[in-house]
Amino acid sequence: MNGAAEIFVHFARARWFRTFRDRAALERRQERGMKRFRRELLSRLPLYRDLAQLPLGAFPIADKEFVRERFAGLNVLGLSYDEARGLAERGEERSGISIGMSSGTSGNRALFLVDAHERRTWAGVMLALALPPGGLLRRHRAAVLLASNSRLYLTTRDSGRLTFRFFNLRSGLDAHVRELEAFDPTVLIAPAHVLGLLARRQSAGALRLRPERAFSAAEVLDPAEAAAITQAWPGPAHQIYQCTEGFLGITCRLGTMHLNEDYVLFEKDWVDQGRRAFNPVITDFSRRTQAMVRYRMNDILIAADRPCRCGSPLQAIERIEGRRDDLLVFAGPAGRRVILFPDDVRATVLDAAPAAGDFGLVQATPDRLELALAGSVPPEQHAAARDALAAAVTRLGGSVPAIASVEYQPPLDHAAKLRRVRRTFPWPEEH
Ligand SMILES: [Zn+2]
């Protein structure tokens, strides 16, 4: 089967056969997928060979460190982390497998192996889920704006009814605006804050784009950005939940995020069950070249409290709250910790300081917060925002930190991920 035909098969499967009657039908698909995954990948890997036929609970929980240290035991080529990184940096393939690298700035970049089959599967599935009604019956132009130094992204790819163009935010946003308008995308995919910026320019008449669907990817979609997007273009603000670890979720036609449970098993590691907040622990059984088994993500997801009206049995997510590093943690009663979620921080700050155009909050130590408000905010609103934050911590039973007002630094670099709320010390384990 040639590349385009294979993409189409996966497109068709995802678009027309993804509809599971109920949860039981979905679970049968997961069982079949896991069986093949155990046979075709896990039983070949030194690290998992002996576990391959055991229940999932017998596998160790993995994280970034685990993957880096045991990299050679996790991929079919037996490449060590350093070998794989060398290949990724030189853009070289090995046995038809290419190696991608996350775009982070830290020394510990995530690496991922992908073969042509995996790439085409994901392309087909993502297209199927992202394209507006009518799909490939009409011509579509998909523009993807992301910061990447990976050669896995081609600049332009034309496959008949679909033209795909990648705009690299590493060279800034303004460098691309005119070309983006000329391309006239029907599907637009960009990080949330870039999409919000484009939407505001559109509403102000300074930009002319008319995507039928606009997706935010790669960072948390803030309500203010979602509002700007829905004001600029028709339909709900869509989201793609994709990261180095895989393609994990996408919004349905109603705008509800659903997890891609037909390709990935999600275990819930609860952070706060009352709030339905969890870290997903993922097992991607669509992988063929590198195992991703019981990998604990840093992301915090909030599970929806009821099924989506679209009828899909795939787990509905109320929202992606951020990363674990975005949760503020305070000392609570009896040696416990209390958690302030970024969503609460945002509501608290912006309610108390309505003049603030934007804000940033950093928790550098358990007992110190630094709050920055954007725009000309009167001093009494700065004070009100600090008081409101202190009150929010008190309500949780936490010990109130010192809260300082600092100068707001606007994000200059569109290649960087925008994180308004950040904790810069490690997550405290409970005793
Ligand atoms: Zn839905």
Side-chain angles (χ1 to χ4, degrees):
M1 199 160 27
N2 69 31
E6 201 176 338
I7 291 179
F8 184 76
V9 165
H10 288 287
F11 174 90
R13 187 187 288 164
R15 183 104 180 176
W16 297 300
F17 302 104
R18 196 194 201 214
T19 43
F20 301 99
R21 233 185 1 269
D22 49 28
R23 192 80 202 168
L26 170 65
E27 282 166 9
R28 281 195 297 277
R29 182 193 149 100
Q30 290 177 330
E31 260 166 54
R32 283 196 305 275
M34 277 301 290
K35 218 168 158 179
R36 209 200 43 193
F37 178 64
R38 288 168 183 277
R39 188 178 63 236
E40 292 178 7
L41 182 62
L42 298 187
S43 61
R44 293 166 64 195
L45 298 174
L47 193 63
Y48 291 137
R49 193 175 292 143
D50 297 338
L51 302 172
Q53 299 312 321
L54 297 178
L56 196 59
F59 287 76
I61 300 274
D63 59 13
K64 217 168 173 175
E65 275 301 292
F66 179 97
V67 169
R68 187 187 169 132
E69 283 167 16
R70 297 169 179 78
F71 202 79
L74 290 167
N75 69 81
V76 289
L77 297 180
L79 293 173
S80 72
Y81 179 87
D82 291 336
E83 286 169 331
R85 181 159 181 163
L87 289 172
E89 280 167 352
R90 295 192 298 275
E92 285 173 24
E93 291 196 352
R94 177 77 57 91
S95 314
I97 296 173
S98 46
I99 293 118
M101 184 158 60
S102 66
S103 58
T105 46
S106 72
N108 188 6
R109 299 236 184 126
L111 296 171
F112 51 101
L113 277 70
V114 196
D115 69 9
H117 174 90
E118 287 172 321
R119 209 156 39 220
R120 291 196 287 264
T121 303
W122 294 337
V125 171
M126 197 176 298
L127 275 177
L129 302 176
L131 287 187
L136 290 178
L137 296 175
R138 296 181 292 122
R139 272 196 75 85
H140 278 285
R141 292 171 303 279
V144 179
L145 285 70
L146 287 176
S148 173
N149 45 13
S150 166
R151 297 184 196 192
L152 295 181
Y153 291 105
L154 296 175
T155 311
T156 307
R157 174 169 269 180
D158 197 336
S159 54
R161 293 182 177 274
L162 182 89
T163 310
F164 169 94
R165 189 171 297 179
F166 176 64
F167 297 84
N168 199 337
L169 291 173
R170 294 222 163 243
S171 43
L173 176 61
D174 291 330
H176 298 304
V177 166
R178 192 147 295 166
E179 198 193 338
L180 188 62
E181 277 182 322
F183 182 58
D184 190 21
T186 54
V187 178
L188 177 62
I189 301 173
H193 82 279
V194 173
L195 204 57
L197 201 83
L198 292 173
R200 286 188 194 95
R201 287 190 193 173
Q202 173 94 17
S203 296
L207 182 74
R208 288 230 305 264
L209 292 176
R210 36 176 204 168
E212 292 171 38
R213 285 199 178 174
F215 287 89
S216 74
E219 59 188 32
V220 173
L221 179 66
D222 195 82
E225 255 116 37
I229 292 162
T230 48
Q231 199 192 338
W233 299 302
H238 284 281
Q239 291 181 75
I240 292 177
Y241 179 25
Q242 199 212 7
C243 47
T244 316
E245 289 80 11
F247 172 34
L248 302 181
I250 190 163
T251 45
C252 67
R253 63 188 164 81
L254 300 177
T256 306
M257 168 74 69
H258 291 275
L259 297 178
N260 288 343
E261 291 180 290
D262 39 354
Y263 297 91
V264 181
L265 288 182
F266 289 81
E267 297 173 75
K268 297 187 179 84
D269 182 8
W270 293 104
V271 175
D272 183 339
Q273 198 153 3
R275 220 185 143 101
R276 305 185 308 280
F278 66 98
N279 279 138
V281 177
I282 60 166
T283 300
D284 184 344
F285 56 85
S286 73
R287 301 295 308 250
R288 293 154 41 105
T289 53
Q290 177 183 357
M292 189 65 81
V293 178
R294 302 196 85 200
Y295 183 89
R296 187 164 68 184
M297 308 278 301
N298 226 325
D299 298 332
I300 306 286
L301 308 188
I302 310 291
D305 60 354
R306 68 192 72 133
C308 180
R309 282 181 296 115
C310 76
S312 169
L314 299 172
Q315 171 76 56
I317 295 299
E318 191 177 298
R319 64 179 181 279
I320 300 173
E321 176 84 50
R323 311 190 326 171
R324 209 142 77 133
D325 310 348
D326 301 339
L327 302 180
L328 305 183
V329 185
F330 305 94
R336 296 183 63 80
R337 59 181 182 225
V338 302
I339 300 168
L340 189 56
F341 284 79
D343 211 45
D344 290 341
V345 171
R346 182 177 48 242
T348 302
V349 170
L350 297 180
D351 283 353
D358 204 345
F359 78 100
L361 185 69
V362 174
Q363 184 181 28
T365 66
D367 47 16
R368 182 176 168 85
L369 297 178
E370 291 183 347
L371 174 66
L373 299 178
S376 49
V377 180
E380 61 272 18
Q381 288 192 16
H382 278 274
R386 291 193 301 266
D387 291 347
L389 280 171
V393 178
T394 304
R395 271 198 304 281
L396 293 168
S399 92
V400 175
I403 306 173
S405 287
V406 299
E407 201 183 331
Y408 180 77
Q409 307 284 353
L412 291 175
D413 180 7
H414 291 299
K417 286 193 183 186
L418 180 64
R419 290 165 61 207
R420 292 185 171 85
V421 180
R422 266 183 318 132
R423 188 187 72 252
T424 55
F425 62 93
W427 180 256
E429 295 302 331
E430 271 179 309
H431 306 294

